[in-house]
Amino acid sequence: MDIHASTLSELSAGLAAGEYSSEELTRHYLGRIEQHADLNAFITVLPEQALESARAADQRRREGEAGPLTGIPLAHKDIFCTRGILTTCGSKILSNFKSPYDATVVQRLDAAGMVLLGKTNMDEFAMGSSNETSWYGPCQNPWDESRVPGGSSGGSAAAVAARLAPVATGTDTGGSIRQPAALTGITGLKPTYGRVSRFGMIAFASSLDQGGILALSAEDAAHVLGAMAGFDANDSTSVDRPVPDYAGDIAAADLGGLRIGVPGEFFEEGLDPDVATAVRDALGVLEGLGATLVDVELPHLGLSVPTYYVVAPAEASSNLSRFDGVRYGYRAEGVSDLLDLYRRSRGEGFGAEVKRRIMTGTYALSAGYYDAYYLQAQKVRQLITDDFRKAFTKVDVVMGPTTPTPAFGIGDKTDDPITMYLNDIYTIAANLAGLPAMSVPCGLVEGLPVGLQMVGGHFEESQLLGIAHRYQGATDWHRRMPEGY
Ligand code: GLN
């Protein structure tokens, strides 16, 4: 078996058993990144730094100080600030930005001994569902290189699916971990809002953004979440609550008596019938493992996309006002005065989708419109949250498809933002309600992966990971690899 077909948990055992060193492992993945550079999964690759940290991890192991993640290579979405290393957020406006500090997530995984291979491609400022808004160009889906890997964490998803890295970080504001995980056949986890620190994670929509994981299995995600999660005084929305032993918890997971809510709204018009079949088959597998399926309603689900496209752009327009060409980032040349400097630096530095969001967001927040749009959207957001609260009085978890269709072609939806936005119809509600959610590979439709989505109650990550772990014990969809990789 090729080393890279292994999950993180298997690599961790291999390192512990001395089957290979972290340096050997790191060289192997660096070689693969180079070999599959055409995927455009990485914006920055860090060969020297990675080998240096791998040697340090090997040393740590020799000293008897290794944990389960020590020496395991990883990739960070280029939205996480990394000290002294380019952090672009997929944008021209940050194309020369080297962060003076590490994001908390970066610092914690570094402290756990993980080896950073590089920074992955992404939609510009995480605005997109296909990785096509990246200033660094689209990223390919290894299952079919003419198709998108999803977005905005498209580079992280493609990298893990193609086994260029055993695990990667991502962020999810409206589906950006789960949707690309589904479209590339891997496991994605968006934790509860506040579970993982947002410090040093470049802000898109602050009340929705949450850092998480793209991995090959639920077990792998459990190991990484344990190291990433936890209170951070640098993030005012970080929740001060003990971090469970996720990896230990999932081993004990038992689906007997589990009540799975299946909302009819997840299976309405617009859902590809083959995707529906794959998802229903997966629910059948869970039933076989002892779970019961219960019909539930999420009556306001249909309002989640319009609600999100008021709230997210509004927050984005405010967050992105800091990029002015003055203190850091891209600065236009030959300007006539200060206003011209702002106008041209932002005009040249931001791409079309980002400008569209800044404009709609600024409009929604302006005097006279704030009550009509932003405030109204926040009220609908509450109704969506209440729908879930009601559902969770009857069931433990809610499930359905992650996306309405498998991966679409590069260029297919770029001219029609609304169709693009509708790709997140099933994922956005969990962000609006701050709930943890996962996507787990559950089938192939015409050779393309599709995902089963699971949404849990606040801070029920252990339960979600446990269900996914049991499902992966009974199926092998998460083991499938794209041909040629
Ligand atoms: N596709 C959604 C958007 O474009 C969600 C992106 C995300 O989760 N970062 O806003």
Side-chain angles (χ1 to χ4, degrees):
M1 188 170 84
D2 285 324
I3 273 188
H4 55 265
S6 315
T7 62
L8 176 154
S9 313
E10 290 159 354
L11 295 175
S12 177
L15 284 168
E19 284 169 32
Y20 31 75
S21 65
S22 172
E23 187 176 351
E24 283 164 331
L25 208 53
T26 303
R27 272 191 208 285
H28 181 74
Y29 282 102
L30 286 169
R32 292 187 59 74
I33 293 172
E34 206 179 298
Q35 185 188 349
H36 297 289
D38 286 354
L39 286 174
N40 201 21
F42 282 82
I43 291 174
T44 302
V45 187
L46 302 159
E48 277 133 58
Q49 178 185 315
L51 289 169
E52 197 177 307
S53 351
R55 285 189 282 266
D58 287 332
Q59 179 61 25
R60 203 163 142 177
R61 188 171 298 281
R62 280 193 290 275
E63 288 161 5
E65 312 245 299
L69 297 176
T70 307
I72 302 278
L74 106 145
H76 281 306
K77 182 175 183 178
D78 209 15
I79 197 168
F80 288 99
C81 286
T82 38
R83 189 158 47 91
I85 298 166
L86 201 60
T87 299
T88 69
C89 221
S91 182
K92 180 179 176 184
I93 210 157
L94 286 179
S95 56
N96 60 3
F97 174 60
K98 287 196 175 155
S99 170
Y101 65 93
D102 276 333
T104 300
V105 162
V106 170
Q107 178 253 311
R108 288 193 178 173
L109 296 181
D110 185 53
M114 295 193 84
V115 172
L116 180 59
L117 296 167
K119 311 281 303 282
T120 57
N121 201 349
M122 56 178 285
D123 280 298
E124 185 178 6
F125 285 101
M127 297 174 190
S129 308
S130 65
N131 211 107
E132 292 168 289
T133 72
S134 171
W135 190 63
Y136 295 87
C139 171
Q140 300 172 348
N141 188 326
W143 290 86
D144 173 349
E145 291 82 355
S146 71
R147 292 175 193 260
V148 304
S152 64
S153 312
S156 285
V160 175
R163 274 63 171 178
L164 311 186
V167 70
T169 54
T171 59
D172 192 312
T173 304
S176 278
I177 288 175
R178 291 159 286 157
Q179 187 257 17
L183 301 192
T184 58
I186 62 170
T187 302
L189 169 69
K190 175 200 99 72
T192 307
Y193 182 78
R195 178 78 286 188
V196 167
S197 170
R198 290 185 296 112
F199 180 72
M201 197 176 101
I202 296 173
F204 163 11
S206 308
S207 75
L208 301 161
D209 296 342
Q210 186 60 199
I213 302 147
L214 294 114
L216 292 174
S217 72
E219 188 185 11
D220 291 3
H223 280 294
V224 180
L225 181 63
M228 258 168 95
F231 179 67
D232 179 7
N234 283 329
D235 170 3
S236 62
T237 58
S238 158
V239 177
D240 193 358
R241 203 181 151 113
V243 178
D245 171 15
Y246 297 111
D249 287 357
I250 65 162
D254 178 2
L255 307 197
L258 179 79
R259 296 161 306 166
I260 301 176
V262 185
E265 292 81 1
F266 271 6
F267 292 87
E268 285 171 1
E269 209 193 313
L271 175 62
D272 178 314
D274 293 333
V275 176
T277 306
V279 169
R280 293 216 184 267
D281 287 350
L283 294 172
V285 171
L286 294 169
E287 261 186 311
L289 293 170
T292 314
L293 305 185
V294 181
D295 288 333
V296 292
E297 284 180 358
L298 296 175
H300 298 93
L301 188 81
L303 297 175
S304 58
V305 174
T307 303
Y308 174 89
Y309 279 97
V310 173
V311 174
E315 295 182 12
S317 80
S318 165
N319 276 325
L320 270 58
S321 62
R322 74 191 61 169
F323 303 108
D324 54 9
V326 175
R327 289 154 298 177
Y328 51 83
Y330 173 79
R331 178 186 294 183
E333 284 180 15
V335 296
S336 52
D337 57 20
L338 185 62
L339 199 59
D340 194 37
L341 170 77
Y342 290 151
R343 205 182 270 143
R344 289 204 15 229
S345 299
R346 287 168 67 82
E348 293 163 21
F350 289 133
E353 184 60 30
V354 172
K355 287 180 189 161
R356 180 157 37 234
R357 307 272 178 120
I358 292 175
M359 284 193 286
T360 35
T362 305
Y363 178 84
L365 289 178
S366 49
Y369 296 108
Y370 180 89
D371 290 0
Y373 295 109
Y374 189 73
L375 216 57
Q376 198 65 14
Q378 292 291 21
K379 289 180 187 166
V380 180
R381 181 176 185 175
Q382 190 56 50
L383 295 175
I384 294 168
T385 309
D386 289 344
D387 283 356
F388 278 105
R389 188 174 305 137
K390 278 184 209 140
F392 286 130
T393 62
K394 292 203 285 179
V395 297
D396 305 300
V397 60
V398 167
M399 294 195 193
T402 308
T403 62
T405 64
F408 46 91
I410 294 177
D412 280 5
K413 294 187 200 259
T414 35
D415 294 337
D416 185 358
I418 305 288
T419 323
M420 187 73 92
Y421 296 171
L422 285 172
N423 213 259
D424 296 324
I425 182 124
Y426 305 131
T427 51
I428 281 177
N431 300 80
L432 291 169
L435 298 166
M438 283 188 79
S439 179
V440 176
C442 72
L444 292 172
V445 169
E446 288 174 19
L448 297 170
V450 294
L452 166 72
Q453 183 180 207
M454 312 180 176
V455 184
H458 290 118
F459 298 99
E460 295 291 350
E461 284 82 1
S462 276
Q463 184 179 53
L464 289 183
L465 289 162
I467 300 169
H469 183 56
R470 285 284 162 259
Y471 177 74
Q472 292 181 334
T475 57
D476 72 347
W477 298 113
H478 65 296
R479 287 277 175 192
R480 307 290 179 97
M481 281 171 63
E483 223 173 285
Y485 295 88

